[in-house]
Amino acid sequence: QVMPVESGGGLVQAGESLRLSCAAGRTSSNNAMGWFRQAPGEEREFVAAISWNGGTSSIADSVKDRFSVSRDRVKNTVYLQMNNLKPEDTAVYYCAAARGAVSGSDRSQYMRWGQGTQVTVSS
């Protein structure tokens, strides 16, 4: 497949963990990948990004103490580990492939987007 495909979302209670997976797509193995999220009525916001080889990553300040991003180049899969989830983390989480080998928080850097996976955190 070419487009990223997310999985791993679900309904959890506050304080629990989830790991989201993103099959990056057969043409994205040398591209940076990013995670964004969008809550109802809100703008899509940056969560994390990781470079083509996993050597560089960045996490949004709002979640940096709880979330981490990693990449398995053999499986061509990107992961978002989310710990100590809070109700305000409830959103649709999107994976996206960047145009270059390194990327950041600017949505315009990303050219291919997945359909998203729902994460709901109950209090």
Side-chain angles (χ1 to χ4, degrees):
Q1 103 282 358
V2 175
M3 305 300 285
V5 178
E6 306 93 338
S7 62
L11 172 63
V12 298
Q13 293 188 335
E16 294 184 340
S17 298
L18 273 177
R19 188 178 77 160
L20 304 183
S21 299
C22 171
R26 58 182 174 84
T27 60
S28 298
S29 60
N30 293 323
N31 296 82
M33 300 294 295
W35 286 99
F36 290 76
R37 68 184 182 183
Q38 188 168 18
E42 302 289 333
E43 293 286 321
R44 190 170 299 189
E45 66 172 356
F46 170 77
V47 177
I50 190 164
S51 62
W52 72 281
N53 64 352
T56 304
S57 63
S58 59
I59 308 287
D61 287 343
S62 60
V63 299
K64 64 181 180 180
D65 293 334
R66 301 182 292 119
F67 290 13
S68 62
V69 61
S70 61
R71 184 168 195 160
D72 185 328
R73 285 182 54 79
V74 173
K75 296 181 179 179
N76 198 22
T77 300
V78 180
Y79 303 98
L80 182 68
Q81 179 67 44
M82 307 185 294
N83 299 326
N84 188 24
L85 283 160
K86 302 177 179 181
E88 52 263 42
D89 295 317
T90 295
V92 177
Y93 283 71
Y94 297 91
C95 178
R99 292 182 173 80
V102 180
S103 64
S105 60
D106 186 349
R107 282 186 291 172
S108 68
Q109 296 178 300
Y110 298 86
M111 59 180 176
R112 287 188 291 272
W113 293 80
Q115 292 298 306
T117 185
Q118 176 71 47
V119 172
T120 303
V121 185
S122 64
S123 58

